[in-house]
Amino acid sequence: MEAFSRSNGVRAYRAKFLATRLWLAALLLVVLTAPAFPAFYNGTNFGAIPDGNAGAPPQCGPARDVTFNVGGLISAGSASVAFTMTHSYIGDLQISLIAPDATSMILMSRVGATNTVPFGDTSNMSGTYTFSDTGAGGIWAAAAGVNGNQNIPAGTYLTQVAGPFSPVNPGPAFTSMNAVFGGPSPNGIWTLRFADCAASDTGSVTAATLTLQGPLAGEAVVSGRVATADGAGIKNAVVRISGGNLSEPMRTITGPFGYYSFEVPAGQTYVLSVASKRYFFQESIRLVNVGEDFADLDFVALPTNVRMAPE
């Protein structure tokens, strides 16, 4: 009778195990065939940009802070921001992006200003402007390319350090948003800060979107341990990793203490699986989104008294 009960228990566990494997396989198919889109975050707190103060050098007025609430990301490989605004006299403006850890970067400031023309370019902003490392050029050159008091074309621009600077075309050095904001822990409140730094001309911001993308390049280490239920390392277990942009699965064999390690491109989703001649695992398949090094991805074997019987 005891042998019969145990046999029924093994069969029930086998059925549950196979059902779990089928469910995981379906889930992994959905995840691995879905494209990896960037994350978009809409801003809040739109409105007028308070006017600056008269005087020389220019003095900035109170800032208009547009904020983005970012959550659920492991890391950021690239960042860009787009906003819709109007403002006469671009030379008045300073626009900065500030990360949750207080890292701050000037997107544009005192465009067209030189030591002899301290108030900068007289052209206007009217439309949607994107700042990204994918821009074809800088907004200093765009401002210099239109006549005074005309609108600078909407489009995608590279970030540049603040003026004054000469010559105004192409303007001061280009900078990299990805170099400043790429890295771990992008979650929290981001701030897009608009400041008017001279009197008389005014404007407003009506929309903004922050775009964050996981790392697209570089290598990451995925590692862990294969062990018994009581913590002993399992030797000669076969661990495989597939998915992401791998052309074929990678395979490794655990050492005497059960450890394994893979080096794979970061910013990808992978499937890890484990197999052993002597042990079965309640979770033999694991799904992991690798933004950076991922350690302690362990597989734990079932106790031997509930191990499945051979076919």
Side-chain angles (χ1 to χ4, degrees), residues 41-44 46 66-70 81-83 97-98 100 188-193 207-211:
Y41 300 91
N42 293 322
T44 59
F46 305 120
V66 174
T67 57
F68 311 87
N69 189 3
V70 174
V81 66
F83 49 84
L97 183 63
I98 306 167
I189 302 299
W190 290 66
T191 302
L192 180 62
R193 178 164 293 169
T209 301
L210 174 68
T211 303

Side-chain angles (χ1 to χ4, degrees), residues 6 21 32 47 99 111 114 186 203 263:
R6 181 170 181 177
R21 289 289 294 271
L32 292 176
V111 172
T114 68
E263 187 171 315

